[in-house]
Amino acid sequence: QQPVQSPQAVILREGEDAVINCSSSKALYSVHWYRQKHGEAPVFLMILLKGGEQKGHEKISASFNEKKQQSSLYLTASQLSYSGTYFCGTESNTGKLIFGQGTTLQVKP
Amino acid sequence: ETGVTQTPRHLVMGMTNKKSLKCEQHLGHNAMYWYKQSAKKPLELMFVYSLEERVENNSVPSRFSPECPNSSHLFLHLHTLQPEDSALYLCASSQDWSRLAGGYNEQFFGPGTRLTVL
């Protein structure tokens, strides 16, 4: 079952914050976050394992609520370089890694 | 060469052709992956190889045939494709893969092969 990401698209000004959500109908073992810039390969951001932990990567952090089967990606004080499409991938007890449809983020000056 | 490389970068083929996509990783990783990325569709994991053994085949049609001759190289052999198979095919590698929960690690992606089937 494909995870659902929201919003589908977001436009920010530099310095603004954003939250991208990823929800699954299945119990999850892990959530993976990647960013893909236009015409480039996806780049790894972070993996969250079940346990409700929050991780950080520069000004990008994420949380994983195992009970709600949700993960959120937090982008604070956004920079132009944050523009791209963000994908979450979820791993459930089926052992499959399935990605969401992506959230397109555009940061404007 | 560093990271993950893919050749060719672009490929146009007819439905009756046979072609192969090549992926090479220079990271010393033990796991390699093939993904399909179509417009307006999510990233789809096709195959997973761990230590040269195919460990995942996510309901991919038999017209796609992967091959992993060693831990550094991965091929995707294509034959009698359909126009709907046109997409960006991405290769990735990771240090390891495990059947245990949380077995997927950080993946490093190649630039992809843009495939057009006429």
Side-chain angles (χ1 to χ4, degrees):
Chain A
Q1 193 79 17
Q2 177 189 338
V4 177
Q5 291 184 231
S6 62
Q8 290 189 4
V10 60
I11 300 175
L12 299 174
R13 292 287 181 188
E14 266 188 299
E16 292 181 338
D17 301 340
V19 180
I20 300 172
N21 299 302
C22 176
S23 298
S24 174
S25 59
K26 288 181 172 289
L28 301 176
Y29 286 125
S30 65
V31 180
H32 304 232
W33 286 99
Y34 287 81
R35 176 174 63 205
Q36 185 177 28
K37 294 180 180 290
H38 183 69
E40 298 182 11
V43 174
F44 172 81
L45 293 177
M46 64 192 78
I47 295 174
L48 299 103
L49 302 178
K50 66 176 183 177
E53 62 184 279
Q54 184 156 346
K55 282 196 169 184
H57 176 79
E58 297 179 343
K59 293 182 181 178
I60 301 175
S61 61
S63 63
F64 177 23
N65 188 320
E66 179 190 348
K67 289 182 179 178
K68 291 186 177 180
Q69 297 161 190
Q70 293 177 346
S71 177
S72 294
L73 186 72
Y74 306 95
L75 300 103
T76 57
S78 60
Q79 306 168 15
L80 294 175
S81 61
Y82 287 3
S83 294
T85 301
Y86 290 78
F87 294 98
C88 73
T90 56
E91 183 190 359
S92 66
N93 57 6
T94 62
K96 305 288 187 185
L97 180 62
I98 303 174
F99 285 86
Q101 81 280 14
T103 295
T104 301
L105 174 70
Q106 185 180 3
V107 180
K108 293 186 173 182
Chain B
E1 293 277 15
T2 58
V4 181
T5 59
Q6 291 186 243
T7 54
R9 294 294 307 276
H10 300 271
L11 178 63
V12 179
M13 59 186 289
M15 290 191 286
T16 58
N17 292 157
K18 290 185 180 181
K19 297 287 184 182
S20 296
L21 310 184
K22 179 183 176 181
C23 174
E24 184 173 0
Q25 58 96 358
H26 308 267
L27 301 168
H29 288 168
N30 294 315
M32 297 187 76
Y33 311 80
W34 277 117
Y35 286 87
K36 177 183 179 182
Q37 188 173 38
S38 306
K40 300 182 181 180
K41 291 187 74 175
L43 203 59
E44 299 174 62
L45 179 57
M46 302 172 71
F47 301 103
V48 180
Y49 275 83
S50 176
L51 298 172
E52 303 153 41
E53 177 187 351
R54 190 192 312 178
V55 293
E56 288 285 343
N57 176 346
N58 291 325
S59 304
V60 180
S62 60
R63 58 185 183 269
F64 294 92
S65 176
E67 178 190 3
C68 187
N70 55 63
S71 59
S72 298
H73 294 86
L74 187 64
F75 294 89
L76 188 62
H77 303 300
L78 316 171
H79 64 96
T80 58
L81 294 192
Q82 304 298 313
E84 59 265 28
D85 296 323
S86 298
L88 180 68
Y89 288 85
L90 291 160
C91 173
S93 71
S94 67
Q95 186 61 57
D96 293 295
W97 177 91
S98 169
R99 289 195 183 279
L100 299 176
Y104 288 90
N105 297 326
E106 172 183 359
Q107 294 179 43
F108 295 78
F109 284 82
T113 294
R114 176 69 62 185
L115 174 68
T116 303
V117 182
L118 301 177

